[in-house]
Amino acid sequence: MIPEFKDRLIGSHILISEGLDKAVYHAEKLGCTAIQIFTKSSSQWNAKKLTDEQKAGFLEARQKTGISVPLAHASYLINLASPEPEQWNRSVEALFQEVDRCQFLKIPYLVLHPGSHKGAGVKEGILRTAEGINRLHEHQKENGTVILLECTAGQGAAIGSKIEELADILNEISDQTKIGICLDTCHLFAAGYDIRTKESFSNLFNQFDQILGIEKIKAFHLNDSQKELGSHVDRHAHIGKGKIGLEGFQYLLNDPRFKKIPMILETPKGTDDTFDLMNLTQLQKLIRLQK
Ligand code: ZN
Ligand code: MN
Ligand code: MN
């Protein structure tokens, strides 16, 4: 059985090794109505220039499938919070390249990790990250790609695990029209934010609304967590098979404030589509539960 999401934007992170267009058709085959991709290798700085054929194929696939709001995820190498000038410069350059590719492919959102301060301190990391994004916006004024800072699990010296830290970064950004937030449920939970009960769920989003504004949330990553609340360890689990459990996802999926927000699975993959279909079907069941 293939799930059906109709008026919702629900999908999975799909690999583009077979081609950008193939990734979109693959998502459609799984019942997805949204998609996230890397537009280049997530672990390499450089990439081949995209061709007009790739672009045409990607746009045609989106039109044919109705998967109209793709998200891109930036390379894991980028660290805008880095105190090392060489790494920081390289990261800003790589970010320029990422948004260029998004613009070329007409991808509206680029998900980006805020980075690691590597011992220089949270405050420093926040300022450097914001400076990198401001630099991008100044240099690429005509590029409308919206950067979505992803909340982190708070592993090591990673910044962005607290709502206040995300708010501090956003407050430093000059162009507020090109910045938003992507909330990853596994990262939230590992950072100590509970969504397992109705009360904790509503507390979290009340808190988020007061500190940052709920309208800043432009995407969700739906992942259960292998590790306990507040563990600061980022290990994704299948939906309902981790420490968060089904109830939290049920609240999120049925919250009227989030019904138009893309929600993307980054759950473990096997050698075929089995796990993706299992997780997507689980999400669909949870959406129906409250209808
Ligand atoms: Zn991410
Ligand atoms: Mn994520
Ligand atoms: Mn993660």
Side-chain angles (χ1 to χ4, degrees), residues 150 184 187 221 223 236 266:
E150 181 172 359
D184 182 309
H187 300 178
H221 285 165
N223 305 307
H236 300 186
E266 295 176 324

Side-chain angles (χ1 to χ4, degrees), residues 93 104 123 172 259 262:
E93 283 294 323
F104 184 70
K123 184 95 209 283
E172 297 289 330
K259 285 197 168 159

Side-chain angles (χ1 to χ4, degrees), residues 214-230:
I214 212 113
E215 73 286 351
K216 289 287 181 196
I217 304 171
K218 304 295 184 197
F220 283 100
H221 285 165
L222 302 183
N223 305 307
D224 209 325
S225 173
Q226 285 185 29
K227 303 290 175 183
E228 293 291 350
L229 181 70

